Amino acid sequence: MAILSKPNVPQFSVDVYQNEYLPEGGREVNAIVTVTSTGGGTTGGHPMPGAAAGSGSTAGAGVVIMVDCSGSMEYPPTKMRNARDATAVAIDAIRDGVAFAVIGGTHVAREVYPANGGLAVADPATRAQAKQALRRLTAGGGTAIGTWLRLADKLLSSGDAAIRHGILLTDGRNEHEKPEELQSALDTCAGRFTCDARGVGTDWEVKELTGIASALLGSVDIVADPAGLAADFQAMMEKAMGKEVADVSLRLWTPQGSEIVFVKQVAPAVEDLTARRSEAGPRAGDYPTGSWGDESRDYHVCVRVPNAGVGQEMLAARMSLVLPQPDGTPQVLAQGLVRALWTDDMAASTRINPQVAHYTGQAELAQAIQQGLEARKSGDMDGATAKLGRAVQLASALGNEDTAKLLAKVVDVVDAPSGTVRLKARVADADEMTLETRSTKTVRVKK
């Protein structure tokens, strides 16, 4: 474990869990990397390195709330009222000094508050004004989420906030812009701000919303009952206020002849980062991790190394947590090493590290749920039974009780350890969507 953080930055640590022993001819090295940030999460409005508070416009953090105001939000009428109430609760949770704005989203995006092309600075007066402006949120029109994201990006870029975050609420499908238009907006916004997404009710598309949250390194969830929005929005905003440092990257360096097979976040949720690599010098690449407060996350790194003889040892990869600085020189927050050692001891080389085994199972669990639900939707009941049965078996073995409870609303569990299940004849839309939305959430391995 190495800790290299400087003052005024939360302390980061890296712990590497692996079996470094490879059999003769073995080339793949797997490691679970636990990254922990401490010392942040209590002063969300305070400046961070690279975040100038200049001209009183921000104090290092900015947040934009995007509220769906399309026509479907009027059915039932309580839905729009719940959305307004939830947004008001979120505004109350914004700390003094944090820059913020509210957007009303339909087939176009419009500024609701402060409606001056920029951000307001939170204090008792601006929070009261913002809540007053929420009365102007009325339902009517279509849904074009890409326009909401582009406006949020414009507003967040108008200040000098280093930590930029969005909260997005929708109740329907993105029907008033082409998929490539939404993708273009996501490509533009990725790396510029993070965004949590929430779907209210059951008329929205899970893959659409999970894609948005994934691209913008945020969380996604369903709020099936609009009455639950206020508590969810408050929790989201409080978490956003706990972020202390933005744009942290996991930098992986590999020696000549080695290559990265994949990099995945595996806790608190599965997120494949492999394709998001940006080159960072000879044989090094950066993988985005977004903003951090007081928290810990796990990553699964797989490296392919050159073949070597028994008794030889090599450094398979060096990982660093890096934070960009204004002068372009990255600040190294923490480091860890992944090693490879070839042996003819079969017991040593075949032993699977418990952390690696656990998270390999968690990734398979998420995939089994997604494939099972897809098979069910397409009418392949045998395939759905097999995949969801495997998911039940994995959830039981891995101790993922929350996922097991969600699966039990979609299948009748005959025997969990063997994965024997029967598909339920009738499943509520909310139960199926909740299982799909939360399929990537994992439980930590007991170290």
Side-chain angles (χ1 to χ4, degrees):
M1 177 177 71
I3 304 173
L4 302 173
S5 295
K6 296 180 181 179
N8 302 321
V9 180
Q11 292 289 311
F12 279 82
S13 64
V14 170
D15 293 288
V16 179
Y17 301 90
Q18 67 161 134
N19 177 13
E20 65 268 31
Y21 292 104
L22 292 177
E24 187 173 6
R27 294 190 59 198
E28 280 201 358
V29 181
N30 286 274
I32 298 300
V33 182
T34 296
V35 179
T36 303
S37 167
T38 56
T42 56
T43 54
H46 288 194
M48 288 301 306
S55 70
S57 59
T58 77
V63 62
V64 173
I65 305 171
M66 294 160 271
V67 183
D68 190 341
C69 294
S70 61
S72 58
M73 286 291 288
E74 198 58 56
Y75 304 100
T78 51
K79 192 190 292 183
M80 193 72 237
R81 185 169 69 245
N82 287 138
R84 283 193 293 264
D85 292 346
T87 305
V89 169
I91 289 169
D92 278 335
I94 300 174
R95 291 184 177 163
D96 285 354
V98 172
F100 76 103
V102 180
I103 290 173
T106 58
H107 52 283
V108 294
R110 66 182 181 89
E111 299 176 52
V112 175
Y113 184 83
N116 61 5
L119 303 168
V121 179
D123 61 27
T126 56
R127 282 192 290 267
Q129 292 165 10
K131 289 188 288 184
Q132 185 73 16
L134 296 180
R135 297 182 181 183
R136 298 198 295 270
L137 287 178
T138 56
T143 305
I145 295 174
T147 65
W148 314 356
L149 296 170
R150 288 186 186 276
L151 180 55
D153 181 39
K154 178 183 176 183
L155 295 177
L156 287 166
S157 301
S158 68
D160 48 17
I163 301 172
R164 302 173 181 178
H165 190 71
I167 290 177
L168 185 152
L169 172 72
T170 186
D171 80 326
R173 295 174 176 84
N174 196 47
E175 295 177 333
H176 293 84
E177 66 181 352
K178 297 176 182 177
E180 51 267 30
E181 290 175 317
L182 174 58
Q183 187 58 54
S184 175
L186 290 173
D187 291 343
T188 298
C189 297
R192 295 176 60 81
F193 67 94
T194 55
C195 184
D196 294 323
R198 294 295 183 268
V200 60
T202 57
D203 293 328
W204 49 281
E205 183 63 47
V206 173
K207 286 185 174 61
E208 204 164 69
L209 218 54
T210 54
I212 291 169
S214 173
L216 301 181
L217 299 174
S219 67
V220 62
D221 206 353
I222 180 174
V223 185
D225 183 354
L229 276 174
D232 189 79
F233 263 46
Q234 182 175 14
M236 266 196 298
M237 186 61 77
E238 288 176 349
K239 186 175 180 180
M241 291 299 98
K243 300 299 184 182
E244 286 288 335
V245 60
D247 301 326
V248 176
S249 292
L250 180 64
R251 176 167 294 179
L252 290 177
W253 175 90
T254 51
Q256 189 73 37
S258 296
E259 61 179 342
I260 301 296
V261 179
F262 63 75
V263 179
K264 298 177 183 178
Q265 177 185 286
V266 288
V270 178
E271 188 66 60
D272 194 340
L273 302 175
T274 311
R276 301 190 193 186
R277 176 186 174 106
S278 60
E279 296 306 314
R283 301 191 301 280
D286 286 351
Y287 300 85
T289 69
S291 302
W292 289 74
D294 268 341
E295 58 189 295
S296 181
R297 306 179 200 170
D298 291 338
Y299 297 87
H300 186 172
V301 176
C302 180
V303 185
R304 185 174 293 117
V305 296
N307 197 7
V310 170
Q312 289 189 272
E313 183 177 5
M314 71 173 288
L315 176 63
R318 181 177 64 240
M319 57 202 63
S320 308
L321 268 294
V322 297
L323 177 67
Q325 297 298 291
D327 63 2
T329 304
Q331 177 184 343
V332 178
L333 304 174
Q335 287 187 332
L337 303 177
V338 178
R339 305 179 186 278
L341 173 62
W342 283 264
T343 180
D344 55 7
D345 183 341
M346 289 296 292
S349 64
T350 56
R351 185 177 65 247
I352 300 176
N353 176 269
Q355 283 82 6
V356 172
H358 177 83
Y359 285 122
T360 300
Q362 292 278 1
E364 185 189 351
L365 170 60
Q367 186 178 51
I369 291 171
Q370 292 161 8
Q371 291 177 342
L373 291 177
E374 196 63 40
R376 185 177 177 278
K377 290 175 187 175
S378 66
D380 178 8
M381 297 308 172
D382 288 342
T385 301
K387 290 294 183 183
L388 293 174
R390 176 58 175 158
V392 166
Q393 184 181 37
L394 286 166
S396 173
L398 295 167
N400 200 327
E401 295 178 3
D402 288 344
T403 299
K405 290 175 183 176
L406 295 176
L407 280 162
K409 294 183 179 181
V410 176
V411 296
D412 291 316
V413 179
V414 178
D415 181 64
S418 67
T420 306
V421 302
R422 288 189 298 266
L423 296 182
K424 288 184 180 290
R426 300 181 68 177
V427 177
D429 289 344
D431 290 335
E432 183 173 350
M433 290 177 71
T434 301
L435 175 60
E436 184 176 2
T437 304
R438 298 178 184 172
S439 62
T440 59
K441 294 186 186 299
T442 57
V443 292
R444 303 296 293 271
V445 65
K446 294 178 181 178
K447 299 186 174 77

